[in-house]
Amino acid sequence: MNIVVTGGAGFIGSNFVYYELANHIDDTIICYDALTYAGNLETLDAAMKNPKFKFVKGDITNREEVNALFKNEKPDIVVNFAAESHVDRSINNPDLFLRTNIMGTCVLMDACRKYGIKRYHQVSTDEVYGDLPLERPDLFFTETTNLHTSSPYSASKASADLLVMAYHRTYDLPCSISRCSNNYGPYHFPEKLIPLMIINALHDKKLPVYGAGENVRDWLYVEDHCSAIDLIIRKGKAGDLFNIGGHNEKRNIDVVKIILKALDKPESLIEHVTDRKGHDRRYAIDPTKIKNELGWSPKINFDDGIKKTINWYLTHKEWWEHIISGDYQEYYKTMYGNRAKL
Ligand code: NAD
Ligand code: TYD
């Protein structure tokens, strides 16, 4: 089979590329990526040596480029990871999120209709459900929880999901959707919580925790997300939707303290700063459906996953040093330079 992986030079997409190359050696994986600030060809160095892998640079919002990709590569399956993915950036620049995340999905699905595919898979997020109250640990997101978005990022992802469902119903396009909780692991871009805290701690720089740090995220090791998507595209029915998560809920402040302890750094590095606007309080996935219907379960718990992740950042300094030595410095100044300390 030919599998197009859009956004395969980013965090989860690249992990998925490696997962597919390792687990389905007869399939050809074509990564299609615009190489925005979040895309990194160095991440794909090892894949480039594999004859079953191909990289094509292109933008999912560009119809001409996308049509040429489908004409040349004749994909059986398209897995769409390409997106603007950072909530904080979406608060400063919503329109780019609407263009990439909604229009890009539309352009890809139009090409799927035109050229025919066996499956279009949309990689979505639990953030489409909004948030849960901190004082109700009994509540979880299921596939029937109402969409209720808080940020321009999550609103763009929810819009894309609605479009996918509409293409399935109107055009009978064989689509599926997965909504996963927060991922962590290798190749995670340094702007996100876990890599940012690891890298700042290694530099003895302050660790900026938004507000009191009591917001809860449900963490899943990235390889477990990849194994779930792999099952959905091969065994899940067209038109189906699955939540993905492993019940690893943690308060941000506790994640930060775990990282400091593992790196033997003092908690005095923690600095509470102005909260994110519209900050979602708690995410928590109920993964019962994918467990019962596809037999998926996560293999890596948070204690092991965070150790593996910290170790990866310690042994791949070159990868992240290249990133933080470029435009990232400007980004960091804009986002954190004027943020008041609490
Ligand atoms: P990322 O920001 O690390 O990577 C995004 C990739 O998409 C980059 O390689 C970038 O170059 C590429 N891209 C951006 N715009 C593009 C365009 N117009 N055309 C082609 N390529 C483009 O993101 P990620 O964290 O790997 O997330 C991947 C997907 O998973 C996203 O759709 C995101 O919404 C979803 N998701 C992420 C998480 C998480 O915890 N990171 C959780 C659930 C779902
Ligand atoms: P993030 O990694 O941006 O993922 P998301 O917003 O998609 O959940 O943030 C995870 C949590 O960490 C979120 O509650 C915001 C918080 N956070 C901080 O406290 N400080 C930071 O510098 C960052 C980037 C995030």
Side-chain angles (χ1 to χ4, degrees):
M1 273 202 298
N2 292 341
I3 305 180
V4 162
V5 177
T6 68
F11 165 43
I12 310 174
S14 61
N15 277 279
F16 185 73
V17 164
Y18 286 117
Y19 186 89
E20 293 298 296
L21 290 173
N23 290 283
H24 301 283
I25 53 173
D26 293 330
D27 291 341
T28 300
I29 310 299
I30 304 113
C31 168
Y32 182 77
D33 198 297
L35 298 180
T36 67
Y37 79 93
N40 187 348
L41 272 189
E42 283 178 37
T43 301
L44 295 171
D45 272 352
M48 296 289 192
K49 296 186 186 103
N50 188 322
K52 300 299 271 182
F53 176 77
K54 191 168 171 183
F55 178 80
V56 179
K57 184 170 188 284
D59 188 324
I60 57 166
T61 66
N62 185 320
R63 278 185 197 276
E64 241 171 73
E65 285 175 4
V66 168
N67 285 340
L69 171 83
F70 277 66
K71 214 167 154 195
N72 295 336
E73 307 301 338
K74 301 182 181 46
D76 299 290
I77 298 180
V78 176
V79 186
N80 181 25
F81 291 92
E84 288 295 332
S85 68
H86 191 31
V87 173
D88 291 329
R89 288 186 193 251
S90 84
I91 294 169
N92 289 2
N93 187 12
D95 39 333
L96 177 59
F97 282 69
L98 307 198
R99 193 171 70 83
T100 300
N101 299 0
I102 306 174
M103 273 317 294
T105 300
C106 170
V107 170
L108 281 174
M109 290 195 297
D110 284 342
C112 289
R113 288 177 57 212
K114 187 167 171 183
Y115 292 94
I117 37 99
K118 292 199 181 86
R119 177 64 60 86
Y120 172 83
H121 183 76
Q122 178 73 359
V123 181
S124 186
T125 164
D126 61 353
E127 300 193 27
V128 299
Y129 298 122
D131 62 353
L132 296 163
L134 291 175
E135 61 283 6
R136 289 292 308 272
D138 56 315
L139 297 180
F140 296 91
F141 297 137
T142 71
E143 287 78 2
T144 55
T145 300
N146 288 339
L147 299 183
H148 186 84
T149 56
S150 317
S151 70
Y153 164 68
S154 56
S156 70
K157 293 295 290 185
S159 307
D161 284 8
L162 292 174
L163 201 61
V164 174
M165 290 173 190
Y167 270 56
H168 175 66
R169 167 129 182 197
T170 305
Y171 307 116
D172 210 16
L173 192 72
C175 308
S176 46
I177 299 176
S178 54
R179 294 177 176 155
C180 189
S181 60
N182 285 61
N183 284 213
Y184 67 107
Y187 303 117
H188 205 178
F189 194 82
E191 68 191 350
K192 304 283 169 60
L193 178 80
I194 288 182
L196 186 142
M197 297 301 168
I198 296 172
I199 293 170
N200 278 19
L202 287 173
H203 288 110
D204 296 309
K205 249 175 102 167
K206 290 286 183 191
L207 273 49
V209 171
Y210 299 165
E214 279 167 2
N215 304 58
V216 170
R217 294 295 181 263
D218 184 359
W219 295 98
L220 187 72
Y221 193 68
V222 62
E223 202 177 310
D224 284 327
H225 186 186
C226 295
S227 70
I229 294 174
D230 182 64
L231 266 182
I232 297 169
I233 59 175
R234 291 165 195 276
K235 304 248 167 68
K237 289 191 303 289
D240 227 338
L241 159 68
F242 293 95
N243 283 353
I244 308 173
H247 288 300
N248 282 303
E249 287 177 48
K250 296 258 176 270
R251 295 188 314 163
N252 294 338
I253 189 71
D254 297 328
V255 171
V256 171
K257 286 182 180 169
I258 289 169
I259 293 170
L260 285 171
K261 190 157 182 237
L263 292 172
D264 199 20
K265 297 285 181 180
E267 288 187 7
S268 55
L269 285 178
I270 294 173
E271 183 166 79
H272 291 273
V273 298
T274 321
D275 211 348
R276 173 186 280 172
K277 289 191 177 80
H279 198 171
D280 279 337
R281 293 160 296 173
R282 170 174 170 255
Y283 301 144
I285 283 274
D286 175 354
T288 306
K289 183 178 174 190
I290 190 166
K291 279 189 175 173
N292 289 348
E293 291 188 13
L294 301 182
W296 175 85
S297 59
K299 292 201 166 56
I300 299 165
N301 65 30
F302 190 79
D303 289 350
D304 294 337
I306 195 73
K307 276 189 209 128
K308 275 160 86 87
T309 304
I310 291 172
N311 192 41
W312 190 87
Y313 280 86
L314 286 171
T315 51
H316 292 77
K317 279 194 179 160
E318 214 175 293
W319 181 85
W320 53 263
E321 274 170 356
H322 285 173
I323 294 172
I324 65 167
S325 63
D327 295 345
Y328 185 78
Q329 290 300 329
E330 218 31 61
Y331 164 83
Y332 200 90
K333 246 188 259 159
T334 311
M335 286 295 183
Y336 297 95
N338 296 321
R339 217 163 183 137
K341 291 145 197 66
L342 302 179

